[in-house]
Amino acid sequence: MPRSKDNLLQAWAVDDQVFARTATAAERLTFCLRYAILAPSTHNTQPWRFVISDDTVLLCADRTRALPVSDTYDRELTISCGAALFNLRVALSHFGCPYVIRIMPSSAEPDVLASVQISDEGFVDGQIAALFAAIPNRVTNRQAFDPAPVPPATIASLQAAAEAEGVQLAPTANDAERLRLADLIDQADRIQLGDPRFRRELALWINASRRDDGMASYSASAASLLDFASPILATVVRTFDVGGGLAASHRRLVEGSPLLICLATRSDDPENWLLAGQAMQRVLLTLTAQGFDASFLNQPIEVETLRPAVGAMTGSGDSPQVLLRVGRGPSQVHAPRRALEAVIS
Protein backbone atom coordinates (compact mmCIF):
# COMPACT_ATOMS: atom_id res chain seq x y z
CA MET A 1 0.00 0.00 0.00
CA PRO A 2 1.45 3.43 -0.94
CA ARG A 3 2.49 5.58 1.99
CA SER A 4 0.49 8.78 2.44
CA LYS A 5 2.11 12.19 2.30
CA ASP A 6 1.56 12.57 6.05
CA ASN A 7 3.37 9.29 6.68
CA LEU A 8 6.24 10.37 4.45
CA LEU A 9 6.74 13.50 6.58
CA GLN A 10 6.43 11.78 9.97
CA ALA A 11 10.22 11.67 10.23
CA TRP A 12 10.16 15.42 10.86
CA ALA A 13 7.92 15.10 13.94
CA VAL A 14 10.36 13.51 16.38
CA ASP A 15 9.18 13.76 20.00
CA ASP A 16 12.29 14.66 21.98
CA GLN A 17 10.41 13.95 25.23
CA VAL A 18 10.56 10.24 24.43
CA PHE A 19 14.36 10.20 24.73
CA ALA A 20 15.40 7.93 27.60
CA ARG A 21 18.58 9.09 29.32
CA THR A 22 18.85 5.73 31.11
CA ALA A 23 18.68 3.75 27.86
CA THR A 24 21.68 1.85 26.55
CA ALA A 25 24.26 3.72 24.46
CA ALA A 26 23.03 1.93 21.33
CA GLU A 27 19.44 2.97 22.04
CA ARG A 28 20.45 6.59 22.63
CA LEU A 29 22.46 6.63 19.41
CA THR A 30 19.53 5.16 17.50
CA PHE A 31 17.20 7.85 18.84
CA CYS A 32 19.62 10.65 17.92
CA LEU A 33 19.91 9.28 14.39
CA ARG A 34 16.28 10.35 13.91
CA TYR A 35 17.69 13.87 13.80
CA ALA A 36 20.72 12.95 11.68
CA ILE A 37 18.51 11.81 8.78
CA LEU A 38 16.81 15.23 8.63
CA ALA A 39 19.94 16.69 7.02
CA PRO A 40 19.73 18.03 3.46
CA SER A 41 21.29 16.17 0.53
CA THR A 42 21.76 16.76 -3.18
CA HIS A 43 18.54 15.87 -5.04
CA ASN A 44 17.31 14.57 -1.65
CA THR A 45 19.24 11.35 -2.30
CA GLN A 46 19.89 10.76 1.43
CA PRO A 47 23.17 8.95 0.65
CA TRP A 48 23.96 7.70 4.14
CA ARG A 49 23.72 4.55 6.18
CA PHE A 50 24.56 3.87 9.79
CA VAL A 51 25.96 0.81 11.54
CA ILE A 52 25.47 0.63 15.31
CA SER A 53 27.51 -1.61 17.60
CA ASP A 54 27.32 -1.24 21.38
CA ASP A 55 28.31 2.38 22.11
CA THR A 56 29.43 3.37 18.60
CA VAL A 57 27.78 4.28 15.32
CA LEU A 58 29.57 4.30 11.99
CA LEU A 59 28.51 6.88 9.41
CA CYS A 60 28.91 5.27 6.00
CA ALA A 61 28.53 6.58 2.46
CA ASP A 62 25.79 4.80 0.54
CA ARG A 63 27.31 4.95 -2.93
CA THR A 64 24.32 3.17 -4.47
CA ARG A 65 22.65 6.59 -4.13
CA ALA A 66 25.48 8.51 -5.82
CA LEU A 67 25.11 10.93 -8.75
CA PRO A 68 27.88 9.87 -11.16
CA VAL A 69 27.23 12.63 -13.69
CA SER A 70 26.82 15.74 -11.53
CA ASP A 71 28.92 14.47 -8.61
CA THR A 72 31.59 12.37 -10.28
CA TYR A 73 33.91 12.12 -7.27
CA ASP A 74 31.17 11.82 -4.58
CA ARG A 75 32.11 15.23 -3.24
CA GLU A 76 28.53 16.38 -2.67
CA LEU A 77 27.61 12.91 -1.39
CA THR A 78 30.28 13.29 1.31
CA ILE A 79 29.13 16.84 2.10
CA SER A 80 25.59 15.52 2.59
CA CYS A 81 26.89 12.88 4.99
CA GLY A 82 28.78 15.62 6.85
CA ALA A 83 25.49 17.47 7.34
CA ALA A 84 23.96 14.32 8.85
CA LEU A 85 26.99 13.98 11.12
CA PHE A 86 26.52 17.54 12.39
CA ASN A 87 22.85 16.90 13.19
CA LEU A 88 23.92 13.83 15.16
CA ARG A 89 26.45 15.93 17.11
CA VAL A 90 23.77 18.51 17.90
CA ALA A 91 21.29 15.87 19.10
CA LEU A 92 23.86 14.11 21.29
CA SER A 93 24.91 17.41 22.84
CA HIS A 94 21.30 18.44 23.42
CA PHE A 95 20.57 15.20 25.28
CA GLY A 96 23.78 15.44 27.30
CA CYS A 97 25.50 12.43 25.75
CA PRO A 98 29.28 12.97 25.66
CA TYR A 99 30.79 11.66 22.44
CA VAL A 100 34.08 11.05 20.69
CA ILE A 101 34.32 11.44 16.88
CA ARG A 102 36.90 9.87 14.61
CA ILE A 103 36.93 11.10 11.02
CA MET A 104 37.84 8.59 8.27
CA PRO A 105 38.71 6.01 10.94
CA SER A 106 39.88 3.28 8.54
CA SER A 107 41.88 3.82 5.35
CA ALA A 108 40.97 0.25 4.38
CA GLU A 109 37.24 1.13 4.42
CA PRO A 110 36.71 4.39 2.50
CA ASP A 111 32.93 4.10 2.81
CA VAL A 112 33.22 4.59 6.59
CA LEU A 113 33.36 8.37 6.88
CA ALA A 114 33.21 8.73 10.65
CA SER A 115 32.67 6.88 13.89
CA VAL A 116 30.80 8.42 16.82
CA GLN A 117 31.17 6.82 20.24
CA ILE A 118 29.22 7.67 23.37
CA SER A 119 31.88 7.85 26.07
CA ASP A 120 32.35 9.43 29.49
CA GLU A 121 35.65 10.73 28.12
CA GLY A 122 33.85 12.51 25.32
CA PHE A 123 32.57 16.03 24.77
CA VAL A 124 29.21 17.78 24.99
CA ASP A 125 29.13 20.97 22.91
CA GLY A 126 26.81 23.47 24.53
CA GLN A 127 27.09 25.92 21.63
CA ILE A 128 25.74 23.56 19.00
CA ALA A 129 23.19 22.09 21.44
CA ALA A 130 21.45 25.48 21.19
CA LEU A 131 20.72 24.70 17.53
CA PHE A 132 18.71 21.57 18.35
CA ALA A 133 15.27 23.16 17.92
CA ALA A 134 16.25 24.35 14.44
CA ILE A 135 16.81 20.81 13.09
CA PRO A 136 13.13 19.94 12.46
CA ASN A 137 12.35 23.50 11.35
CA ARG A 138 15.04 23.75 8.65
CA VAL A 139 13.71 23.43 5.11
CA THR A 140 15.21 24.05 1.68
CA ASN A 141 13.23 26.96 0.26
CA ARG A 142 13.30 27.26 -3.54
CA GLN A 143 10.76 30.08 -3.65
CA ALA A 144 11.57 33.74 -4.31
CA PHE A 145 12.96 35.62 -1.31
CA ASP A 146 12.10 38.99 0.14
CA PRO A 147 14.74 41.45 -1.18
CA ALA A 148 15.28 43.01 2.26
CA PRO A 149 19.00 42.91 3.15
CA VAL A 150 20.32 40.31 5.57
CA PRO A 151 21.62 42.17 8.65
CA PRO A 152 25.41 42.36 9.09
CA ALA A 153 25.08 40.69 12.51
CA THR A 154 23.46 37.67 10.87
CA ILE A 155 26.20 37.46 8.24
CA ALA A 156 28.82 37.65 11.00
CA SER A 157 27.10 34.81 12.87
CA LEU A 158 27.18 32.67 9.71
CA GLN A 159 30.89 33.31 9.25
CA ALA A 160 31.52 32.39 12.88
CA ALA A 161 29.49 29.19 12.48
CA ALA A 162 31.51 28.10 9.44
CA GLU A 163 34.84 29.03 11.01
CA ALA A 164 33.98 27.01 14.12
CA GLU A 165 33.95 23.95 11.83
CA GLY A 166 37.20 24.89 10.11
CA VAL A 167 35.59 26.21 6.91
CA GLN A 168 35.62 29.64 5.29
CA LEU A 169 32.38 31.47 4.48
CA ALA A 170 32.46 34.26 1.89
CA PRO A 171 29.31 36.45 1.66
CA THR A 172 28.19 38.20 -1.52
CA ALA A 173 25.56 40.87 -0.92
CA ASN A 174 26.71 43.51 -3.42
CA ASP A 175 24.33 43.79 -6.40
CA ALA A 176 27.06 43.77 -9.05
CA GLU A 177 28.79 40.76 -7.52
CA ARG A 178 25.52 38.83 -7.26
CA LEU A 179 24.79 39.57 -10.93
CA ARG A 180 28.20 38.21 -11.93
CA LEU A 181 27.47 35.04 -9.97
CA ALA A 182 24.03 34.90 -11.60
CA ASP A 183 25.77 34.87 -14.99
CA LEU A 184 27.95 32.00 -13.83
CA ILE A 185 24.97 30.01 -12.51
CA ASP A 186 23.11 30.64 -15.77
CA GLN A 187 26.11 29.32 -17.72
CA ALA A 188 26.39 26.24 -15.51
CA ASP A 189 22.66 25.50 -15.88
CA ARG A 190 22.94 25.57 -19.65
CA ILE A 191 25.99 23.30 -19.65
CA GLN A 192 24.40 20.75 -17.32
CA LEU A 193 20.94 20.71 -18.85
CA GLY A 194 22.46 20.56 -22.32
CA ASP A 195 24.00 17.19 -21.37
CA PRO A 196 21.58 14.27 -21.96
CA ARG A 197 23.40 12.22 -19.30
CA PHE A 198 22.74 14.91 -16.70
CA ARG A 199 19.08 15.14 -17.73
CA ARG A 200 18.65 11.37 -17.40
CA GLU A 201 20.21 11.47 -13.94
CA LEU A 202 18.02 14.39 -12.87
CA ALA A 203 14.91 12.67 -14.21
CA LEU A 204 15.57 9.68 -11.95
CA TRP A 205 15.26 11.90 -8.88
CA ILE A 206 12.30 14.08 -9.89
CA ASN A 207 10.02 11.24 -10.90
CA ALA A 208 6.68 11.19 -9.07
CA SER A 209 7.12 7.46 -8.42
CA ARG A 210 9.70 8.35 -5.76
CA ARG A 211 7.89 8.47 -2.45
CA ASP A 212 10.41 8.89 0.37
CA ASP A 213 13.33 10.53 -1.43
CA GLY A 214 14.04 12.64 -4.53
CA MET A 215 12.43 15.90 -5.60
CA ALA A 216 8.99 15.17 -6.98
CA SER A 217 7.89 18.63 -5.79
CA TYR A 218 10.92 20.52 -7.10
CA SER A 219 8.69 22.67 -9.30
CA ALA A 220 8.20 25.14 -6.42
CA SER A 221 10.85 27.44 -7.90
CA ALA A 222 9.74 27.10 -11.51
CA ALA A 223 6.08 26.18 -11.38
CA SER A 224 5.21 28.03 -14.55
CA LEU A 225 7.94 26.21 -16.45
CA LEU A 226 7.93 22.63 -15.25
CA ASP A 227 5.69 20.47 -13.12
CA PHE A 228 8.21 17.92 -11.89
CA ALA A 229 5.48 16.08 -10.03
CA SER A 230 4.34 14.75 -13.38
CA PRO A 231 5.88 11.50 -14.68
CA ILE A 232 5.45 12.91 -18.19
CA LEU A 233 7.64 15.91 -17.29
CA ALA A 234 10.31 13.59 -15.91
CA THR A 235 10.37 12.06 -19.38
CA VAL A 236 10.60 15.53 -20.93
CA VAL A 237 13.55 16.45 -18.73
CA ARG A 238 15.24 13.17 -19.56
CA THR A 239 14.68 13.52 -23.31
CA PHE A 240 14.80 17.21 -24.21
CA ASP A 241 17.08 20.14 -23.49
CA VAL A 242 15.06 22.40 -21.16
CA GLY A 243 18.17 24.30 -20.08
CA GLY A 244 17.22 27.76 -21.33
CA GLY A 245 13.98 28.08 -19.39
CA LEU A 246 15.24 26.57 -16.14
CA ALA A 247 18.46 28.58 -16.30
CA ALA A 248 16.39 31.76 -16.61
CA SER A 249 14.32 30.72 -13.61
CA HIS A 250 17.42 30.13 -11.48
CA ARG A 251 18.84 33.45 -12.62
CA ARG A 252 15.73 35.29 -11.44
CA LEU A 253 16.02 33.60 -8.05
CA VAL A 254 19.64 34.69 -7.73
CA GLU A 255 18.91 38.25 -8.76
CA GLY A 256 16.10 38.43 -6.18
CA SER A 257 18.09 36.96 -3.30
CA PRO A 258 19.63 39.49 -0.92
CA LEU A 259 22.63 37.34 -0.03
CA LEU A 260 24.73 34.59 -1.58
CA ILE A 261 27.26 32.71 0.52
CA CYS A 262 30.04 30.36 -0.54
CA LEU A 263 31.62 27.78 1.77
CA ALA A 264 35.18 26.80 0.93
CA THR A 265 37.86 24.55 2.39
CA ARG A 266 41.64 24.78 2.39
CA SER A 267 42.03 21.45 0.59
CA ASP A 268 39.83 19.39 -1.69
CA ASP A 269 39.64 15.84 -0.36
CA PRO A 270 37.06 13.61 1.39
CA GLU A 271 38.05 14.77 4.87
CA ASN A 272 37.54 18.40 3.89
CA TRP A 273 34.28 17.56 2.14
CA LEU A 274 33.04 16.07 5.41
CA LEU A 275 34.13 19.26 7.20
CA ALA A 276 32.26 21.33 4.62
CA GLY A 277 29.09 19.33 5.21
CA GLN A 278 29.24 19.92 8.95
CA ALA A 279 29.90 23.62 8.44
CA MET A 280 27.09 23.85 5.90
CA GLN A 281 24.60 22.35 8.32
CA ARG A 282 25.79 24.55 11.17
CA VAL A 283 25.25 27.58 8.92
CA LEU A 284 21.81 26.35 7.80
CA LEU A 285 20.66 25.74 11.38
CA THR A 286 22.02 29.14 12.43
CA LEU A 287 19.98 30.71 9.61
CA THR A 288 16.87 28.76 10.59
CA ALA A 289 17.21 29.79 14.24
CA GLN A 290 17.27 33.44 13.12
CA GLY A 291 14.24 33.13 10.84
CA PHE A 292 16.02 32.96 7.49
CA ASP A 293 15.77 30.50 4.60
CA ALA A 294 18.29 29.09 2.16
CA SER A 295 18.53 26.97 -0.96
CA PHE A 296 21.38 25.56 -3.00
CA LEU A 297 22.89 26.91 -6.22
CA ASN A 298 25.79 24.49 -6.61
CA GLN A 299 25.66 24.22 -10.40
CA PRO A 300 28.84 26.24 -11.15
CA ILE A 301 30.69 24.25 -8.49
CA GLU A 302 29.52 20.99 -10.06
CA VAL A 303 30.81 22.07 -13.49
CA GLU A 304 34.55 21.54 -13.05
CA THR A 305 35.59 24.18 -15.60
CA LEU A 306 33.57 26.86 -13.80
CA ARG A 307 34.45 25.97 -10.25
CA PRO A 308 37.64 28.12 -10.07
CA ALA A 309 35.61 31.11 -11.20
CA VAL A 310 33.30 30.69 -8.19
CA GLY A 311 36.29 30.87 -5.89
CA ALA A 312 37.63 33.92 -7.72
CA MET A 313 34.30 35.78 -7.73
CA THR A 314 33.48 35.12 -4.09
CA GLY A 315 37.01 35.42 -2.78
CA SER A 316 36.63 32.00 -1.21
CA GLY A 317 39.77 30.47 -2.71
CA ASP A 318 40.45 27.46 -4.90
CA SER A 319 38.19 24.92 -3.18
CA PRO A 320 34.61 26.25 -3.08
CA GLN A 321 32.30 23.49 -1.88
CA VAL A 322 28.77 24.90 -1.43
CA LEU A 323 26.95 27.94 -2.86
CA LEU A 324 23.77 29.07 -1.08
CA ARG A 325 21.28 31.88 -1.51
CA VAL A 326 19.86 33.35 1.69
CA GLY A 327 16.79 35.41 2.52
CA ARG A 328 13.26 35.11 3.81
CA GLY A 329 10.70 33.24 1.74
CA PRO A 330 7.16 31.89 2.05
CA SER A 331 6.51 28.85 4.20
CA GLN A 332 7.52 25.51 2.63
CA VAL A 333 6.78 21.86 3.38
CA HIS A 334 9.58 19.47 4.21
CA ALA A 335 11.01 16.99 1.75
CA PRO A 336 10.17 13.36 2.61
CA ARG A 337 12.63 11.10 4.39
CA ARG A 338 13.29 7.40 4.25
CA ALA A 339 12.40 5.52 7.41
CA LEU A 340 15.23 5.24 9.92
CA GLU A 341 14.98 1.45 9.66
CA ALA A 342 15.93 1.70 5.98
CA VAL A 343 19.28 3.35 6.70
CA ILE A 344 20.39 1.66 9.92
CA SER A 345 21.84 -1.76 10.72
Side-chain angles (χ1 to χ4, degrees):
M1 179 181 297
R3 298 168 65 194
S4 71
K5 183 177 180 180
D6 288 343
N7 287 337
L8 293 171
L9 298 178
Q10 279 182 354
W12 292 91
V14 187
D15 183 358
D16 63 311
Q17 298 301 310
V18 178
F19 180 81
R21 298 180 185 275
T22 58
T24 66
E27 290 169 337
R28 283 178 284 162
L29 283 168
T30 300
F31 189 88
C32 289
L33 287 177
R34 296 190 179 278
Y35 294 94
I37 64 173
L38 301 183
S41 57
T42 306
H43 293 1
N44 194 26
T45 53
Q46 304 168 52
W48 43 66
R49 58 188 181 88
F50 305 93
V51 180
I52 293 182
S53 176
D54 298 326
D55 60 356
T56 300
V57 60
L58 300 180
L59 166 62
C60 304
D62 184 349
R63 301 192 196 276
T64 67
R65 308 180 73 78
L67 301 167
V69 178
S70 61
D71 187 27
T72 305
Y73 303 106
D74 288 348
R75 184 184 60 81
E76 289 188 353
L77 181 151
T78 306
I79 289 173
S80 299
C81 289
L85 177 60
F86 185 77
N87 273 6
L88 177 59
R89 289 169 51 200
V90 171
L92 287 170
S93 292
H94 170 78
F95 291 118
C97 301
Y99 58 87
V100 175
I101 291 182
R102 296 176 179 84
I103 300 300
M104 309 294 176
S106 173
S107 59
E109 298 183 55
D111 286 353
V112 179
L113 303 179
S115 69
V116 182
Q117 179 186 23
I118 288 182
S119 169
D120 291 339
E121 299 177 358
F123 176 63
V124 170
D125 190 333
Q127 282 193 325
I128 66 171
L131 296 172
F132 177 76
I135 293 177
N137 292 328
R138 183 211 61 80
V139 63
T140 300
N141 193 329
R142 299 186 181 92
Q143 295 279 16
F145 289 161
D146 188 310
V150 177
T154 295
I155 297 175
S157 71
L158 302 181
Q159 290 177 307
E163 289 169 3
E165 298 298 324
V167 172
Q168 178 188 356
L169 184 148
T172 301
N174 176 276
D175 286 345
E177 292 174 348
R178 284 191 292 110
L179 288 176
R180 285 196 292 271
L181 272 174
D183 287 338
L184 201 60
I185 291 163
D186 180 281
Q187 186 179 349
D189 270 332
R190 293 172 189 276
I191 290 172
Q192 287 188 318
L193 287 158
D195 182 346
R197 299 172 306 143
F198 176 86
R199 295 201 303 274
R200 285 195 296 270
E201 182 174 89
L202 179 61
L204 288 174
W205 293 96
I206 62 175
N207 197 298
S209 64
R210 307 199 79 97
R211 304 298 300 162
D212 53 7
D213 60 9
M215 305 186 299
S217 61
Y218 174 67
S219 58
S221 65
S224 62
L225 172 67
L226 294 173
D227 178 7
F228 281 157
S230 164
I232 296 174
L233 258 299
T235 301
V236 170
V237 171
R238 182 173 62 249
T239 307
F240 300 104
D241 180 3
V242 295
L246 193 56
S249 174
H250 287 161
R251 184 185 179 88
R252 286 194 297 272
L253 289 179
V254 175
E255 292 173 349
S257 299
L259 176 66
L260 301 179
I261 58 177
C262 183
L263 294 169
T265 55
R266 295 181 180 87
S267 300
D268 199 29
D269 54 42
E271 185 170 345
N272 276 276
W273 301 341
L274 202 64
L275 279 177
Q278 293 175 86
M280 176 189 77
Q281 187 64 355
R282 186 163 183 160
V283 166
L284 290 173
L285 295 182
T286 300
L287 280 169
T288 299
Q290 297 185 39
F292 287 91
D293 299 298
S295 66
F296 299 90
L297 290 166
N298 286 339
Q299 301 94 309
I301 297 178
E302 293 169 348
V303 177
E304 204 63 33
T305 56
L306 299 180
R307 192 177 175 197
V310 177
M313 284 188 187
T314 61
S316 60
D318 294 331
S319 298
Q321 304 292 354
V322 177
L323 188 61
L324 296 164
R325 66 185 189 99
V326 174
R328 284 193 169 101
S331 177
Q332 294 290 285
V333 298
H334 286 105
R337 285 295 182 273
R338 294 190 289 162
L340 180 62
E341 294 75 20
V343 300
I344 198 170
S345 59

